[in-house]
Amino acid sequence: MDKEELIKLVTRRVIEKMKDYDTHKVPIGVSNRHVHVSRQDLDILYGKDYELTRKGDLKQPGQFASNETVTIRGPKGEFERVRILGPVRKQSQVEVSKTDSFRLGIRPLIKESGDLTGTPGLDLIGPKGIVSLSSGAIVALRHIHMTPAQADAFGLKDKDMVEVETFGERRGVFGDVLVRVSDQFALEMHVDVDEANAFSLSNGDHVIIRKER
Ligand SMILES: [Zn+2]
């Protein structure tokens, strides 16, 4: 191959990659450890009929970071000021990273949000009371939120698993990324702090979806 052909080939590859990047790119949202609480548990933690107050909106419509926090305590250790995300949910759920789990002394399962069967519990400590969850601590299964229209454009459907390629100084590929489709969602890939740090990703960085091979 002569030099000119090589330049043409490289150019074509770069253009293909850019096209791929434009049509498959997804912004990253890094989730630090956080808590979702049920109405009943919030009554115990913050007092009867207490309403969460809004600190800031999350990218997912209707979801918000509240000003309220709790201490989460496991058999070996605890974290203070763990943020409650609103609104209240059907059941309380604690999302931690694998690294957090070692300090807490629990062995959480990697689970899709809301699927709490067989998960370990933790104590939630609020200003008004303590809730001892018998289950509910998970390491969230990494996933991408998208609307039905976005799923169509990507050629994907709810519960598909995809690979995701990341860029930058710790480039890599995430396998087994769950696709979640709802008209209540906005396009965003959620990873925890361990996953973000392993790939040097920050909020708002872009990654691209690759077809499962
Ligand atoms: Zn999410």
Side-chain angles (χ1 to χ4, degrees):
M1 188 183 303
D2 67 21
K3 208 170 156 188
E4 200 168 322
E5 278 178 50
L6 182 66
I7 289 170
K8 274 186 188 156
L9 178 70
V10 170
T11 307
R12 198 169 67 234
R13 293 261 163 90
V14 169
I15 288 169
E16 276 169 8
K17 195 85 192 175
M18 284 169 68
K19 252 178 30 205
D20 209 32
Y21 185 78
D22 282 343
T23 50
H24 295 100
K25 75 176 181 178
V26 175
I28 283 284
V30 182
S31 303
N32 201 351
R33 71 185 77 93
H34 63 271
V35 175
H36 300 280
V37 292
S38 66
R39 178 65 262 172
Q40 191 187 353
D41 289 346
L42 185 59
D43 283 348
I44 296 168
L45 294 166
Y46 269 84
K48 182 95 185 114
D49 298 330
Y50 186 88
E51 292 295 339
L52 294 172
T53 60
R54 193 175 291 253
K55 177 182 163 73
D57 288 332
L58 302 181
K59 195 158 180 186
Q60 299 306 313
Q63 305 290 305
F64 62 93
S66 76
N67 292 300
E68 288 73 19
T69 62
V70 291
T71 294
I72 60 173
R73 180 179 292 162
K76 276 173 66 179
E78 64 182 37
F79 290 99
E80 294 179 343
R81 291 183 297 280
V82 177
R83 199 157 300 286
I84 300 175
L85 302 189
V88 293
R89 290 197 178 178
K90 261 204 300 241
Q91 50 187 355
S92 293
Q93 172 174 312
V94 185
E95 296 183 40
V96 297
S97 70
K98 195 105 180 172
T99 304
D100 292 343
S101 75
F102 296 127
R103 174 152 149 198
L104 292 163
I106 57 169
R107 304 189 68 173
L109 307 171
I110 295 171
K111 286 274 201 180
E112 190 178 343
S113 182
D115 174 13
L116 304 181
T117 46
T119 60
L122 277 176
D123 288 346
L124 307 182
I125 302 161
K128 292 281 169 63
I130 299 177
V131 173
S132 290
L133 297 175
S134 56
S135 65
I138 63 168
V139 173
L141 178 66
R142 54 190 173 228
H143 58 275
I144 305 171
H145 295 272
M146 62 180 73
T147 64
Q150 287 158 344
D152 273 353
F154 286 125
L156 295 170
K157 58 185 191 313
D158 192 43
K159 296 195 165 47
D160 277 353
M161 296 295 256
V162 293
E163 287 186 351
V164 166
E165 186 173 357
T166 79
F167 303 91
E169 56 185 351
R170 299 180 103 181
R171 198 170 70 81
V173 175
F174 284 114
D176 302 328
V177 180
L178 177 69
V179 172
R180 297 179 59 192
V181 181
S182 163
D183 53 14
Q184 303 299 306
F185 289 158
L187 184 65
E188 189 177 34
M189 175 170 175
H190 281 162
V191 293
D192 70 19
V193 171
D194 282 356
E195 293 171 313
N197 288 342
F199 289 74
S200 265
L201 293 168
S202 309
N203 270 325
D205 284 352
H206 284 87
V207 294
I208 68 168
I209 297 175
R210 310 202 310 186
K211 303 276 176 211
E212 195 90 343
R213 278 177 298 176

